[in-house]
């Protein structure tokens, strides 16, 4: 199905937002927040159009917009550790935004933001200024004059940061695994409840049918019992009458001996 004009504009703006998010922005950068707000409005309008995309595509669009909103919210945090943790918990999109992307741009943005947060944490622990990252060559030349203890401390800090990064990744994987298990268990419980409801409904319908049959058979049995009682009364009446008439005839035919 061909994309609508609204969807094409949405994809272009989304690709532009992902490009801006991949860049290192200053505090005065305002475009990304405005663009993400426009993306939310376009996404709401896209859901209401008659030629809206499939539910899977809409879910991926929503996931990418929420990812960009999460990046903006993480940048507003004051602590570097909180920023790193918030970025670690973000969920990027799973499909490319435009056709010529080999890797989804949101995943690339996610890796870049995590790398920037890790670099900020390292600079904060080492006591260096983030603005000094452009002087890498000068820092490398000056490292020869750094004492061995300080260089070992910096190496240990890098190892600690790497260890914490691996722990955060493992924690995120565990949380994702638990969420999947919870989803599977919930779906299994829903299926079981649905089957139980179907079985209960079938049993109730069968009980109603059996009750109707029992009611019909009870009425037939009652009618049969009434007929049997009537026949029995007529037979007894006939036997009594026959006996009475026979006795009278016997007395008439055979008089009493004198």
């Amino acid at each position: 199905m061909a994309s609508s004009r609204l969807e094409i504009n949405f994809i272009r703006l989304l690709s532009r937002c992902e490009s801006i998010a991949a860049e290192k922005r200053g505090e005065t950068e305002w475009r990304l927040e405005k663009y993400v707000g426009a993306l939310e409005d376009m996404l709401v309008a896209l859901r209401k159009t008659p030629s809206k995309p499939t539910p899977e595509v809409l879910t991926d669009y929503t996931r990418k917009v929420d990812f960009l909103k999460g990046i903006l919210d993480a940048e507003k945090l004051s602590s570097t550790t909180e920023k790193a943790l918030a970025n670690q918990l973000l969920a990027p999109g799973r499909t490319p935004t435009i056709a010529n992307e080999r890797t989804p741009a949101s995943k690339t943005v996610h890796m870049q933001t995590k790398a920037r947060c890790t670099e900020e944490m390292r600079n904060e622990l080492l006591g260096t200024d983030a603005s000094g990252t452009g002087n890498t060559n000068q820092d490398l030349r000056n490292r020869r004059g750094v004492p061995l203890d300080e260089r070992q401390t910096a190496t240990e800090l890098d190892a600690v940061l790497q260890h914490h990064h691996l722990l955060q990744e493992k924690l995120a994987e565990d949380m994702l695994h638990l969420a999947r298990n919870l989803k599977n268990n919930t779906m299994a419980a829903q299926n079981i409840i649905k089957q139980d409801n179907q079985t209960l409904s079938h049993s109730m319908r069968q009980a109603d049918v059996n009750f109707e049959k029992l009611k019909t058979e009870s009425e037939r049995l009652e009618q049969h019992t009434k007929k049997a009682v009537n026949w029995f009364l007529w037979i007894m009446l006939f036997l009594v009458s026959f006996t009475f008439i026979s006795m009278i005839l016997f007395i008439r035919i055979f008089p009493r001996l004198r």
Side-chain angles (χ1 to χ4, degrees):
M1 183 175 63
S3 301
S4 62
R5 187 66 181 175
L6 178 61
E7 185 178 0
I8 294 173
N9 293 334
F10 175 83
I11 293 173
R12 289 177 179 174
L13 184 58
L14 178 61
S15 178
R16 179 59 179 160
C17 289
E18 291 173 344
S19 300
I20 297 175
E23 301 171 356
K24 189 172 183 180
R25 302 177 304 282
E27 295 181 356
T28 58
E29 178 62 45
W30 55 270
R31 293 179 299 169
L32 183 59
E33 187 171 359
K34 297 294 183 182
Y35 289 170
V36 171
L39 279 176
E40 291 184 280
D41 297 336
M42 294 174 70
L43 185 60
V44 172
L46 195 61
R47 289 195 181 99
K48 297 179 180 179
T49 56
S51 59
K52 63 182 178 181
T54 61
E56 292 79 8
V57 176
L58 283 175
T59 301
D60 192 63
Y61 287 164
T62 305
R63 187 185 184 95
K64 291 178 180 179
V65 174
D66 291 340
F67 171 71
L68 293 173
K69 288 172 58 180
I71 290 179
L72 293 173
D73 294 337
E75 290 178 351
K76 295 177 182 178
L77 297 174
S78 58
S79 173
T80 308
T81 306
E82 293 178 353
K83 290 182 180 179
L85 182 59
N87 279 284
Q88 186 70 34
L89 297 177
L90 293 177
R94 299 176 180 176
T95 58
T97 303
I98 55 179
N100 58 355
E101 289 180 358
R102 292 186 177 180
T103 303
S106 57
K107 289 187 178 180
T108 304
V109 173
H110 193 206
M111 290 187 291
Q112 291 176 348
T113 53
K114 288 195 295 185
R116 284 198 293 266
C117 289
T118 303
E119 183 180 0
E120 291 178 2
M121 289 178 63
R122 186 175 67 85
N123 292 334
E124 183 178 350
L125 289 173
L126 292 176
T128 58
D129 189 4
S131 61
T133 55
N135 301 325
T136 306
N137 295 329
Q138 184 67 28
D139 292 341
L140 291 175
R141 287 194 296 268
N142 293 334
R143 278 189 180 182
R144 295 180 179 178
V146 178
L148 179 61
D149 294 340
E150 294 184 6
R151 281 183 287 174
Q152 289 179 350
T153 303
T155 304
E156 291 175 357
L157 287 174
D158 290 337
V160 170
L161 286 173
Q162 184 68 21
H163 177 67
H164 283 290
H165 180 68
L166 294 175
L167 287 178
Q168 290 177 357
E169 289 184 350
K170 186 176 183 302
L171 178 61
E173 291 178 358
D174 292 340
M175 292 176 64
L176 181 61
H177 181 68
L178 290 174
R180 288 176 179 173
N181 289 338
L182 180 61
K183 180 180 178 181
N184 294 332
N185 294 334
T186 303
M187 293 179 65
Q190 288 179 351
N191 292 331
I192 293 174
I193 293 173
K194 184 177 180 180
Q195 292 177 359
D196 291 342
N197 289 334
Q198 291 177 353
T199 303
L200 181 60
S201 299
H202 178 71
S203 299
M204 292 179 65
R205 288 194 298 268
Q206 192 66 31
D208 292 337
V209 172
N210 293 336
F211 178 76
E212 293 296 331
K213 290 182 179 180
L214 180 62
K215 184 178 180 181
T216 304
E217 294 299 327
S218 299
E219 292 176 354
R220 291 177 58 187
L221 180 61
E222 185 178 358
Q223 293 176 1
H224 181 71
T225 304
K226 290 180 179 179
K227 290 180 179 180
V229 171
N230 291 335
W231 279 106
F232 181 74
L233 289 175
W234 282 105
I235 292 172
M236 290 299 295
L237 183 59
F238 175 76
L239 289 176
V240 172
S241 301
F242 178 76
T243 304
F244 180 73
I245 295 172
S246 299
M247 288 178 63
I248 293 175
L249 292 175
F250 181 79
I251 294 171
R252 293 288 185 181
I253 297 172
F254 301 97
R256 186 175 59 179
L257 298 176
R258 294 187 180 268

